[in-house]
Structures are given as structure tokens and as C-alpha cells.
Amino acid sequence: MSQLKPTKPQFDYINSTAKFPAMVAGFGAGKTEAAVQRCIIGKLRNPKTNRGFYEPTYDLIRMIAWPRFEEVLTDLGIPYKLHKSPLNYIDLGGYGKIIFRSMENPARIIGFSHADADIDELDTLREDEAAAAFRAILARNREIKQNGEPNSIGVTTTPEGFKFVYKNWKKHPKPGFELIQAPTDSNPHLPQDYVENLKAIYPNNLLSAYLNGEFVNLTQGTVYNGYSRDRNQSNEEITRFDFLMVGMDFNVTNMSAVIFVYRQGVFHAVEELTGIYDTPNMINTLKKKYPEHNICVYPDASGASRKTVNASISDITLLESAGFECRAPKRNPFVKDRVMAANAAFESLQVMINSEKCPELASSLEQLTYDNNGVPDKTSGLDHLIDACTYPIAHELPIIKPIAAVPFKFAI
């Protein structure tokens, strides 16, 4: 059998004999590669049983897991056949199958069994979803190994606050739960500027998690802690013929918009609109207030199908028909990514807010907190203007995670 030469945290995880080892790692520390290697090595040791490999979504299975498995199996010279949807497994011939499933719907993790499993990015799920997925996977983990080893479930993830992995592997670990933490700089194969790039794009409060692999508090305090009324204060106002960028949030009888102008590389929020009844009213308001301006709207992507007015035409179509340019993604970015993009933009002073012209927006940014599930609290009513504000930020100043391949060396 081939011998790996991984980093120390990867080695510890790949070779752990615990029933439930978890590798909690910073970006670029090689956690997914370690999961793939642990899965293959474990499968070769137990050729008469199946093994499960789980990702949060099928997209991640298709784009991340399968290519990495094929690369490693090819490097090792192990014959295989990949059976894609609807079967979703790799056949290793005399070494059995590796079964791939998503955790999008734990109730559908049925109809098969395995002796061991590997779960990638478990803590990116909500805590209740992660718990349900883990229970469902544990129920599938029931084949008996001929070599007498105990069945195991390995977990790899970035730390996402004090959620399922923290509570079960860090705070109150039971026998068999082993935690292996891996900072980004444990990987010597990364580009020289990789860590500096992370420091440049991530807000300070997230670097402990995403650089050091530490559990940090992401669910207390204000959501937009990168915003400071003093530091991010703008005195800019709309001038004649300015090109206006309008972030827009759709809510029936309570639409919101934030108007931005661009000055020397900086986005300035200079006016806000709240309590607009529906999209036709919003269109009329914009045309009446800004008749001499070209307007580009950054709408809530759900407006492609939702309607704030009782009609057969979507909100975004109404905006486009009114002559506005619309920059809308096919779907909204993840809330977490939008929050990080906004906080990074506030901290880097790429986004400024005229708090005199946008008083409700400034107050909302200062007051919005997380709920018990670790997501921005929508029951407060503070999120509407913030959503309108952050759609343009996420579009124009997105967080782009650096990608680094982590090569493994094999000594035969």
C-alpha cells in the first residue's frame, strides 16, 4: 500500500483510530484532501464493506469530491469506475463501493448501508440540519468489518461558530470523539501570499476561524461589526447626472431601496427609501426623485419570480420594462457571504454611508444581531434596508475565496 506524506494535522486525521474523529481547519489547510485520503485508505483496509462520503450538496459532490477522488485513485494506480447520477458511487472492483450522498435532505439518506463514512463541511449546515444528517448517516453505518475494526465516521469542516461540531467535539465531547485542529499555515504547499490574501479580504473577527481553524463567536454581537458610524461616515450627496446604483429589497407593502454613488473607487450610500408599497410605486418614486439620472438596480434575486403587485409579471421584469438596468444574479448569495463581503468592505473603507441621508440604514447596521440559529434576526425588522444595501456590495465587492491545490506525495 502507498504511504502518504501529508501535513501533521492531515496525518493525524487520516490515521486516527477514533470512532468519530473531526478535522476542523482553516482555509487551505487541506481538510477535504484529508477526507478523500482517509476514505480511500480506509476502503482499501476493508474491501468487503461499503463506505459513504457526504457533502452538503450534490454540486459539491460533482465539482469537488469526484474530481479529487479520481485524481488520487489514478495516482495510486487503483482501477475504478465512477457511476454518476442517479447511482452516485465509485466501484473499486474487489474493494467495494464508495457511496456519495448529499445532506440536503437527511430523510433521504436511506436504502443503503456502509461500515464507515466521511462527512465534509458538516458545520456549514444549520445546527439542527447537521444533527439530523449525522444521525441519519450513523444509522447507515452498520455493516460489519471482517478485520474487526470499529465502524467510524470522520468529519472535516471549517469552524462556523458554536454549532454542532463545536458542541460535540469541543465543548462536551463523548468517548470516541477526537478533535484535530489545523491552521492554514500548517500546509507548506500553499502559495507564499495565500495567508496574506486571506488577511486582506476577511474581516478581523473571522480570521481566527478561517485562518487558524478556531471556534469563534459568530452568533453574538452585531452582525455588521465592520461598520462604524464615525469611520464609515460619508458627506457625499447626489449631484446632477450622477449614475445611481440602487440596491432593492422586495417586500409586499414594505419595499426598501438604498441609493449609491461611486466616487474615486469608493461606494457611497447617499439616500434611502423605505415603506414603498410595491414595485410599480417604487418605479414611480425613482423616476420622480431622479428624473435626470441613469439608474442601475441591484435587486433581490427572488424578484425574478416574486411579485409585490397582483400581476402575472415579475418584479425584475417590471424594473427592466421601466428602463432600469438590472444586475441580478440567478440566485442571492448565501447570507453569510453577503455579511462577510459587507463587513470587509466597511473595514477597508470601500463602502461609506451618509448617516444623515440614510439614518435608518445606519441605525439598522448598528443594531442588527444574530438569532439563536446564528443567522441575522429577521424578526427585528431591521434587515430590509440592510438587504437593499448589501446586494450591491456582494455583487461589486464579493468575497472570493482563494483556491489552493494541496498535492500529496506518494512513496510506493
Side-chain angles (χ1 to χ4, degrees):
M1 183 184 297
S2 299
Q3 292 182 346
L4 301 177
K5 293 184 178 180
T7 66
K8 185 177 187 308
Q10 290 169 337
F11 178 89
D12 292 343
Y13 176 72
I14 292 168
N15 294 283
S16 173
T17 58
K19 292 182 66 175
F20 306 111
M23 180 177 175
V24 178
F27 287 145
K31 57 183 171 46
T32 300
E33 285 81 0
V36 171
Q37 296 295 339
R38 178 181 169 85
C39 180
I40 292 173
I41 294 299
K43 190 71 207 68
L44 297 179
R45 284 203 304 263
N46 296 278
K48 301 300 182 181
T49 60
N50 295 322
R51 193 171 184 115
F53 195 93
Y54 296 83
E55 292 279 5
T57 68
Y58 273 112
D59 282 345
L60 291 175
I61 291 173
R62 186 180 70 253
M63 294 186 297
I64 303 297
W66 283 340
R68 293 182 182 180
F69 269 91
E70 290 192 284
E71 180 180 354
V72 173
L73 290 169
T74 299
D75 287 343
L76 287 172
I78 300 174
Y80 70 91
K81 185 173 182 180
L82 173 59
H83 298 265
K84 298 185 178 181
S85 181
L87 300 177
N88 299 312
Y89 70 87
I90 288 179
D91 189 344
L92 299 180
Y95 288 100
K97 298 176 182 177
I98 299 173
I99 300 168
F100 295 86
R101 292 293 185 270
S102 84
M103 297 179 285
E104 292 172 286
N105 186 353
R108 298 184 65 181
I109 302 177
I110 57 174
F112 61 93
S113 61
H114 43 60
D116 299 285
D118 304 276
I119 307 174
D120 191 31
E121 293 293 10
L122 179 59
D123 245 10
T124 61
L125 303 176
R126 285 204 328 254
E127 185 175 344
D128 58 337
E129 293 173 341
F134 191 81
R135 288 194 299 267
I137 294 166
L138 185 62
R140 299 295 98 204
N141 218 44
R142 60 194 186 199
E143 291 185 349
I144 299 175
K145 301 180 187 179
Q146 291 184 338
N147 64 7
E149 292 180 356
N151 293 19
S152 68
I153 298 177
V155 171
T156 51
T157 189
T158 49
E160 300 291 339
F162 301 143
K163 297 168 67 177
F164 181 76
V165 173
Y166 170 79
K167 290 180 179 177
N168 289 276
W169 275 266
K170 181 76 170 180
K171 187 177 182 181
H172 298 300
K174 296 178 181 178
F177 285 74
E178 179 186 14
L179 176 63
I180 300 163
Q181 291 179 272
T184 297
D185 61 10
S186 67
N187 179 9
H189 306 295
L190 293 172
Q192 290 184 350
D193 61 350
Y194 185 81
V195 171
E196 292 305 315
N197 287 341
L198 286 177
K199 291 180 179 179
I201 65 174
Y202 278 97
N204 293 331
N205 71 310
L206 294 183
L207 285 175
S208 292
Y210 295 149
L211 188 59
N212 299 325
E214 297 176 359
F215 295 100
V216 298
N217 190 351
L218 303 181
T219 60
Q220 293 181 9
T222 57
V223 176
Y224 292 93
N225 48 61
Y227 171 71
S228 165
R229 186 181 289 258
D230 293 331
R231 187 180 64 247
N232 296 104
Q233 175 60 27
S234 171
N235 296 318
E236 295 292 335
E237 297 184 10
I238 296 174
T239 59
R240 191 179 185 189
F241 303 128
D242 263 336
F243 178 72
L244 304 183
M245 294 162 284
V246 180
M248 191 175 297
D249 184 51
F250 298 110
N251 288 285
V252 179
T253 74
N254 189 23
M255 291 186 63
S256 300
V258 174
I259 293 83
F260 287 85
V261 296
Y262 191 67
R263 301 277 194 269
Q264 298 179 329
V266 178
F267 295 88
H268 296 260
V270 291
E271 289 192 13
E272 63 186 27
L273 300 174
T274 61
I276 306 298
Y277 187 79
D278 57 19
T279 302
N281 276 270
M282 178 65 79
I283 291 170
N284 290 335
T285 300
L286 291 173
K287 285 183 173 293
K288 184 176 180 179
K289 284 181 66 70
Y290 314 112
E292 298 178 327
H293 298 269
N294 290 324
I295 292 175
C296 175
V297 178
Y298 296 79
D300 179 347
S302 65
S305 57
R306 289 177 54 188
K307 307 168 185 66
T308 60
V309 63
N310 186 21
S312 60
I313 190 167
S314 74
D315 291 314
I316 289 179
T317 301
L318 283 170
L319 291 166
E320 291 174 334
S321 298
F324 300 140
E325 177 187 354
C326 285
R327 296 180 184 175
K330 291 184 179 180
R331 65 178 185 179
N332 289 326
F334 291 118
V335 173
K336 180 183 71 173
D337 291 341
R338 185 153 48 91
V339 169
M340 287 193 296
N343 277 327
F346 288 135
E347 289 184 359
S348 64
L349 303 183
Q350 290 177 285
V351 173
M352 308 291 279
I353 294 174
N354 187 327
S355 60
E356 294 182 3
K357 296 287 186 178
C358 305
E360 290 190 39
L361 172 61
S363 295
S364 296
L365 288 168
E366 292 172 330
Q367 297 177 38
L368 184 66
T369 58
Y370 288 99
D371 65 15
N372 292 332
N373 292 317
V375 297
D377 182 11
K378 286 188 170 293
T379 63
S380 65
L382 299 172
D383 58 303
H384 303 312
L385 268 174
I386 290 178
D387 287 350
C389 173
T390 54
Y391 289 137
I393 297 174
H395 191 283
E396 298 293 345
L397 301 169
I399 290 288
I400 301 175
K401 300 175 182 177
I403 298 174
V406 183
F408 280 90
K409 303 298 182 182
F410 301 96
I412 306 299

